[in-house]
């Protein structure tokens, strides 16, 4: 350790007060975190790239400072999906400090990691008051049956109005319009359920029909339109 001449010439005075860091809530416990291994918790965060072309939702499950589970969900950029593939290999097994200082390929994923680090380090995780936290695998529960991200894709123009393309229920195939051309419902296909049935041997057309549902006053429509073509 190198000290300046000014410090070297100072008189030594006793430092009495040292209460340590303020305790933070972690998985149902109050912890004075002094090292990376003192940190545990599961939480989510959102990141974005510099041009804000795309965004990433990152979910991490951290146990004793080490990332045990990572869920990377991206939107708005084709290249980001490939970056997410690499991040899914990179993140598990790293400490949160290593992950913070690792190039996760995409700015949006890097930014999400930064935001998560702040939440985790300050004890602001989703499991702060959950005794024992959540088991590894809990991140998949966000995806539901079929393991697909919750996606909402809507489009609208002043001239032609709104188009529902995809909602939580699934891929929208038809919009139901009333006599005044207002949307009163929609038909959708749950792609996750459909693919599960096809993988189990169900013929594609039958799987499509079984995975199709509708919402709202769909049956009362004056007419139906394909939101992607009409």
């Amino acid at each position: 350790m190198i000290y300046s001449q000014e410090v070297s010439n100072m008189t030594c005075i006793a430092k009495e007060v040292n209460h340590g860091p303020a305790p933070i809530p972690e998985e149902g416990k109050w912890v004075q975190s002094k090292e990376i291994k003192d940190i545990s918790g599961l939480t989510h965060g959102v990141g974005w790239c510099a041009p804000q072309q795309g965004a990433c939702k990152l979910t991490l499950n951290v146990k004793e400072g080490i990332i045990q589970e990572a869920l990377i969900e991206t939107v708005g950029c084709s290249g980001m999906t490939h970056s997410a593939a690499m991040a899914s290999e990179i993140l598990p097994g790293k400490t949160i400090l290593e992950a913070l200082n690792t190039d996760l390929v995409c700015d949006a994923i890097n930014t999400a990691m930064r935001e998560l680090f702040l939440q985790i380090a300050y004890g602001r995780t989703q499991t702060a008051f959950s005794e024992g936290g959540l088991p590894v695998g809990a991140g998949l529960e966000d995806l539901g049956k079929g393991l697909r991200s919750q996606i909402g894709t809507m489009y609208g123009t002043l001239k032609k109005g709104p188009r529902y393309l995809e909602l939580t229920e699934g891929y929208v195939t038809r919009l139901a319009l009333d006599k005044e051309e207002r949307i009163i419902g929609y038909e959708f296909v749950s792609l996750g359920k459909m693919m599960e049935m096809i993988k189990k041997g169900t013929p594609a057309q039958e799987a499509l029909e079984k995975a199709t549902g509708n919402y709202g006053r769909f049956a009362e429509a004056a007419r139906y339109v394909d939101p992607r073509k009409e």
Side-chain angles (χ1 to χ4, degrees), residues 126-141:
Q126 302 293 311
T127 55
F129 299 102
S130 302
E131 188 174 353
L134 290 174
V136 176
L140 290 179
E141 293 179 5

Side-chain angles (χ1 to χ4, degrees), residues 54-177:
C56 168
K57 177 193 170 189
L58 180 61
T59 303
L60 297 180
N61 197 350
V62 179
K63 301 290 185 184
E64 296 180 350
I66 297 174
I67 298 169
Q68 300 291 336
E69 174 186 18
L71 172 64
I72 304 100
E73 301 173 84
T74 65
V75 64
C77 174
S78 58
M80 197 192 302
T81 63
H82 294 74
S83 299
M86 288 182 270
S88 69
E89 296 185 47
I90 293 169
L91 286 169
K94 287 189 178 295
T95 68
I96 56 172
L97 184 59
E98 285 179 301
L100 180 67
N101 291 288
T102 296
D103 182 7
L104 299 174
V105 188
C106 168
D107 277 351
I109 305 176
N110 285 321
T111 303
M113 183 63 229
R114 180 194 72 196
E115 297 301 304
L116 254 73
F117 183 88
L118 293 174
Q119 289 184 42
I120 296 167
Y122 286 124
R124 304 305 195 269
T125 64
Q126 302 293 311
T127 55
F129 299 102
S130 302
E131 188 174 353
L134 290 174
V136 176
L140 290 179
E141 293 179 5
D142 283 357
L143 301 180
K145 292 182 179 179
L147 301 183
R148 284 177 55 82
S149 295
Q150 305 298 310
I151 297 173
T153 308
M154 315 297 159
Y155 179 73
T157 60
L158 179 61
K159 183 176 178 64
K160 297 293 183 178
R163 297 291 187 277
Y164 298 174
L165 302 176
E166 188 156 357
L167 292 98
T168 299
E169 296 92 338
Y171 179 97
V172 178
T173 52
R174 288 191 295 169
L175 295 179
L177 307 181

